[in-house]
Amino acid sequence: MKRVIASVLAAAMIGVSFTACGSASPRNQAAASSQTNVDKVIAEAEKMTNQELYKKAIEESKGKTMYGIGNSSRGATAGTNFVKMLKTIDSSYDGKVEWSQPKNNSIFTLLTSDIASAQHTYSMTLIQDGNQIQSKMLNTGYLKNFIPKDWLAANGADEKTNGHPFALQSQVKVFAFNNVGGAKFNNCWDFVYKDQHPMFMGVNSEPVGKNFLYMLTDSQYADMMKSAFDSLSADKKAYFQPIVNSMAGEGSKLGLTGDNVKYSLAWIKLWCQQYNKQTDDGPTCTQLVTKSAANQSALLVNSKFRSIEESASSSKKNVTIAVYQDGYHGIGGFSYKHYLQVLKTSPLPWTACAFIAYMTTNKDGYVAWGKDMGSYCSNPSIMQDHSKDGYVNGVNTFAVKNDKPFSWWTSNNGGRLVVEDPAYCAKTSSQMSDWVDSFVSSKG
């Protein structure tokens, strides 16, 4: 009980409303006693099959509650399925998983407080925002990486991409536009052309959006921005060229390298000055599909389109995903990840590792996310196919819902997404953050 109370008090001190779920069960004190022990557990766990891990979890957490915390509420469903699965192995198993989803980007403060406290509550986390994860959690050693053996066996070649830190899934934000008025968005530069005001969540209220802007300065994406610029019509080039030229010296001032970074900086400047700040992607999507939103555009998670209900004033048919068009040039949007990590003070590290393995190797472990389009598991073998979600009675009715595999989204011949890299974001944020904010002005 003291551990739960400590967490609640810590949350109250920072002005966050947080309710502990249930009373605390007895903890494994030895597992919580030191960072060294958690490191040893992870090292052993990475050599074990899922079945071996599940037995360890049952032994460790019988009669206890494992507390997880994450940016996605669907972790609660995964936890329920995990406990059911463990009961099929041992019918007497009576452990629990309690899941919390903090608001307002407070997860980093809550985790830090829990790790620093004398009594520890949380065992694992599902967390986003690569910049803060790297600078506040990984560089400090607060979070520990665990890669399940069964995941590695199926996805060994992908360890570099999704293993460090270990990712549950990728999320995608795409450029989309309302097609009712006949507007054309055939190039990523069209979204920052004169009089354009794409709907987008504020970069300081949803930090992954700011990470997107940081990543644009990486040379591979700067090269994409230059290539897209070169494909513009003469009149649009003439409009953008002075802005690009004005950025010629900014890259070196910001510690950036690459011949084409000035193109990314010009685009970032225009984007920040012109985007229409939104509070959430849900209302943005609801607005974009209406007839009254003719010619408007947005950068939002594509998964939101799945829940739009058809009416006389709103339809999924009213929206086009820009990169789905033949002949589209430039980036199609960006992606960020949800990372699974073990706290260095985890009271139940074996159970945490087993739960992580379950979510990334078992279809029932990932079903909470995978049942809908727009989430892309780091283990494609447990993904559901959403390529024909837009079909009704065999007819391709809502093209915006026909999803693509993540390999397509990140391909230079496909979605050409800007992919979040925690290390790069952390390295560049100190130089770039204030620079971006200078153009965002009152939006942020």
Side-chain angles (χ1 to χ4, degrees):
M1 179 64 74
K2 291 181 179 179
R3 289 171 188 162
V4 177
I5 293 173
S7 289
V8 174
L9 290 175
M13 290 173 65
I14 61 172
V16 177
S17 178
F18 173 76
T19 302
C21 301
S23 58
S25 298
R27 309 287 193 207
N28 186 327
Q29 295 294 338
S33 62
S34 70
Q35 175 184 354
T36 302
N37 186 69
V38 172
D39 288 335
K40 288 179 178 179
V41 168
I42 290 174
E44 291 184 48
E46 289 190 329
K47 300 174 185 177
M48 295 181 175
T49 65
N50 279 5
Q51 291 305 311
E52 292 171 327
L53 271 178
Y54 296 156
K55 291 178 181 179
K56 281 284 191 179
I58 291 170
E59 177 184 342
E60 177 187 63
S61 58
K62 265 191 175 182
K64 302 173 184 177
T65 300
M66 187 188 76
Y67 291 86
I69 184 171
N71 291 114
S72 171
S73 63
R74 299 188 184 198
T77 301
T80 298
N81 290 347
F82 176 62
V83 170
K84 288 180 180 178
M85 182 275 298
L86 293 181
K87 286 183 177 180
T88 66
I89 299 172
D90 182 345
S91 60
S92 67
Y93 180 72
D94 57 353
K96 297 179 181 179
V97 173
E98 294 285 359
W99 190 263
S100 302
Q101 184 192 15
K103 303 297 183 182
N104 303 320
N105 203 36
S106 63
I107 189 169
F108 296 98
T109 302
L110 289 169
L111 287 173
T112 300
S113 298
D114 188 70
I115 291 167
S117 68
Q119 303 292 324
H120 310 295
T121 298
Y122 300 114
S123 287
M124 54 79 63
T125 184
L126 174 62
I127 192 168
Q128 71 181 44
D129 183 1
N131 177 27
Q132 292 195 78
I133 292 169
Q134 186 69 46
S135 60
K136 295 181 178 180
M137 299 283 112
L138 300 182
N139 291 348
T140 58
Y142 287 173
L143 296 182
K144 299 294 182 177
N145 207 49
F146 164 69
I147 303 177
K149 181 179 180 179
D150 285 12
W151 181 93
L152 196 60
N155 304 278
D158 196 42
E159 181 182 356
K160 182 178 180 181
T161 302
N162 283 309
H164 304 278
F166 185 58
L168 168 68
Q169 63 178 354
S170 293
Q171 300 289 116
V172 168
K173 292 213 176 193
V174 299
F175 291 112
F177 62 92
N178 186 296
N179 54 44
V180 172
K184 302 294 183 183
F185 294 87
N186 297 313
N187 191 305
C188 62
W189 286 88
D190 291 339
F191 293 98
V192 293
Y193 194 49
K194 57 185 176 183
D195 300 325
Q196 292 299 325
H197 301 284
M199 293 182 282
F200 186 58
M201 287 186 67
V203 294
N204 287 316
S205 59
E206 190 187 43
V208 293
K210 208 169 192 178
N211 293 345
F212 156 58
L213 301 180
Y214 299 155
M215 289 305 308
L216 273 179
T217 66
D218 183 81
S219 59
Q220 63 176 314
Y221 302 119
D223 291 348
M224 287 185 185
M225 300 304 287
K226 168 64 162 60
S227 178
F229 179 90
D230 289 343
S231 70
L232 290 167
S233 61
D235 60 328
K236 288 186 177 180
K237 281 184 181 178
Y239 173 79
F240 288 120
Q241 191 67 64
I243 304 167
V244 172
N245 293 343
S246 72
M247 294 291 109
E250 287 297 296
S252 59
K253 292 178 183 178
L254 293 167
L256 303 171
T257 59
D259 295 336
N260 294 325
V261 70
K262 62 183 179 182
Y263 291 91
S264 288
L265 292 176
W267 193 95
I268 293 168
K269 174 184 176 180
L270 291 170
W271 179 262
C272 291
Q273 290 176 331
Q274 293 175 207
Y275 79 77
N276 180 355
K277 181 185 173 183
Q278 304 295 304
T279 58
D280 189 79
D281 281 350
T284 299
C285 184
T286 301
Q287 169 64 20
L288 190 64
V289 300
T290 61
K291 290 181 179 179
S292 60
N295 300 328
Q296 290 187 30
S297 63
L299 179 53
L300 75 169
V301 287
N302 61 335
S303 60
K304 295 298 180 182
F305 293 114
R306 70 180 185 265
S307 57
I308 294 296
E309 294 185 6
E310 299 296 302
S311 70
S313 60
S314 299
S315 175
K316 294 181 284 293
K317 294 180 181 179
N318 295 339
V319 174
T320 299
I321 292 179
V323 78
Y324 281 4
Q325 302 173 106
D326 292 336
Y328 178 82
H329 295 278
I331 60 172
F334 73 97
S335 76
Y336 59 97
K337 297 177 182 177
H338 283 155
Y339 300 99
L340 288 164
Q341 297 283 280
V342 182
L343 274 68
K344 80 171 195 175
T345 52
S346 174
L348 299 171
W350 285 111
T351 310
C353 290
F355 187 35
I356 289 172
Y358 176 71
M359 283 190 280
T360 54
T361 61
N362 188 299
K363 286 186 178 181
D364 288 336
Y366 188 69
V367 71
W369 297 275
K371 65 181 180 179
D372 300 313
M373 57 175 278
S375 297
Y376 309 89
C377 188
S378 63
N379 182 357
S381 68
I382 60 174
M383 282 286 295
Q384 297 183 41
D385 182 9
H386 296 290
S387 62
K388 293 188 176 181
D389 280 13
Y391 281 66
V392 179
N393 297 324
V395 178
N396 188 6
T397 307
F398 305 113
V400 74
K401 288 186 65 179
N402 296 329
D403 205 359
K404 311 283 188 180
F406 192 65
S407 58
W408 182 91
W409 280 112
T410 55
S411 168
N412 287 340
N413 297 318
R416 298 185 295 280
L417 295 183
V418 176
V419 180
E420 181 187 79
D421 178 346
Y424 186 86
C425 290
K427 181 179 72 173
T428 57
S429 63
S430 59
Q431 302 101 311
M432 287 287 295
S433 181
D434 289 344
W435 188 86
V436 168
D437 287 343
S438 70
F439 301 113
V440 172
S441 186
S442 61
K443 289 190 182 74

